[in-house]
């Protein structure tokens, strides 16, 4: 966000990602909404800021397990796989209280609330890279190591990916779709 601000034409006039795009992809809810509008598959998700909102979300039929995580931010902080409604409500109350009281998380991230998503099993990968003038210029597919607990702790990865090349190419094409959908 700082780079988007500083590099804008009215300041340093350097190549950059527009601030609105940065804010959209840093918010998992807004990012998944944009992906859905662009025709990119997304897991079922919902945003909740309070326990009452979460209870309203849960009035719809959800299949467990689910994953709860902050709507803004990165890494595995405050992420948890849950197996039942009671566990979800307990984890939500604990995490929400910790997040709001710790004083380490930026206030904008705290205000983003929480995202609840369908859990699906499979390989977890990252695709890192950059785009310039609306075109992806470089990307690297990497494999994340399997999770060791419900806490969703990142355990490292393998760089570059060891997946077959045709699967990596599908991931690169998906990345191009996502990039096009963000414009």
């Amino acid at each position: 966000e700082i780079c988007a601000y500083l590099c804008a034409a009215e300041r340093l006039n350097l190549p950059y990602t527009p601030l609105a795009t940065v804010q959209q992809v840093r918010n998992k809810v807004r990012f998944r909404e944009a992906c859905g509008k662009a025709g990119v598959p997304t897991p079922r998700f919902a945003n909740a800021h309070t326990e009452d909102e979460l209870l309203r979300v849960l009035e719809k039929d959800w299949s467990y397990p689910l994953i709860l995580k902050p709507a803004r931010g990165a890494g595995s902080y405050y992420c948890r796989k849950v197996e039942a409604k009671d566990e979800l409500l307990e984890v939500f109350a604990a995490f929400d209280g910790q997040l709001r009281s710790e004083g380490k998380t930026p206030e904008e991230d705290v205000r983003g609330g929480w995202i609840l998503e369908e859990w699906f099993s499979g390989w977890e990968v990252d695709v890192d890279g950059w785009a310039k003038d609306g075109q992806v210029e470089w990307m690297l597919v990497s494999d994340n190591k399997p999770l060791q607990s419900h806490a969703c702790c990142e355990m490292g990865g393998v760089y570059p990916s060891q997946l077959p090349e045709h699967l990596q190419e599908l991931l690169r094409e998906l990345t191009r779709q996502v990039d096009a959908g963000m414009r």
Side-chain angles (χ1 to χ4, degrees):
E1 292 175 357
I2 293 170
C3 288
Y5 175 82
L6 290 175
C7 293
E10 63 273 13
R11 290 176 195 81
L12 298 176
N13 196 29
L14 296 171
Y16 71 103
T17 303
L19 181 59
T21 302
V22 172
Q23 291 172 332
Q24 182 176 39
V25 300
R26 283 191 41 113
N27 183 306
K28 295 171 189 78
V29 174
R30 291 181 58 203
F31 179 68
R32 281 155 185 72
E33 289 170 347
C35 285
K37 287 179 187 172
V40 177
T42 62
R44 182 177 178 202
F45 67 93
N47 189 211
H49 296 83
T50 66
E51 186 175 337
D52 286 342
E53 285 182 13
L54 182 61
L55 288 168
R56 280 194 294 281
V57 164
L58 294 175
E59 289 173 359
K60 297 177 182 166
D61 190 32
W62 288 83
S63 296
Y64 290 85
L66 301 171
I67 186 164
L68 178 72
K69 54 189 160 184
R72 286 185 46 97
S76 300
Y77 300 106
Y78 297 112
C79 294
R80 181 65 59 92
K81 178 181 176 184
V82 294
E83 303 288 343
K85 181 179 179 179
D86 290 346
E87 180 186 11
L88 172 60
L89 294 173
E90 183 180 310
V91 168
F92 180 87
F95 279 7
D96 193 56
Q98 290 171 10
L99 185 67
R100 292 178 186 282
S101 66
E102 71 169 1
K104 296 177 185 175
T105 303
E107 185 58 34
E108 186 174 351
D109 289 1
V110 174
R111 282 193 311 269
W114 299 89
I115 185 169
L116 182 66
E117 295 180 317
E118 294 177 311
W119 175 268
F120 57 92
S121 296
W123 291 99
E124 183 179 350
V125 299
D126 289 332
V127 182
D128 298 300
W130 63 79
K132 181 179 176 187
D133 299 324
Q135 298 296 317
V136 176
E137 286 197 346
W138 178 85
M139 64 183 112
L140 172 72
V141 178
S142 57
D143 307 326
N144 292 345
K145 290 185 177 179
L147 299 176
Q148 298 296 314
S149 72
H150 278 59
C152 302
C153 294
E154 294 175 356
M155 303 303 294
V158 178
Y159 316 93
S161 176
Q162 301 301 298
L163 291 172
E165 182 57 36
H166 74 280
L167 294 178
Q168 290 185 55
E169 184 51 40
L170 288 172
L171 291 164
R172 288 190 286 268
E173 181 53 37
L174 180 62
T175 300
R176 290 182 197 97
Q177 278 184 278
V178 169
D179 181 64
M182 296 298 111
R183 287 186 251 131

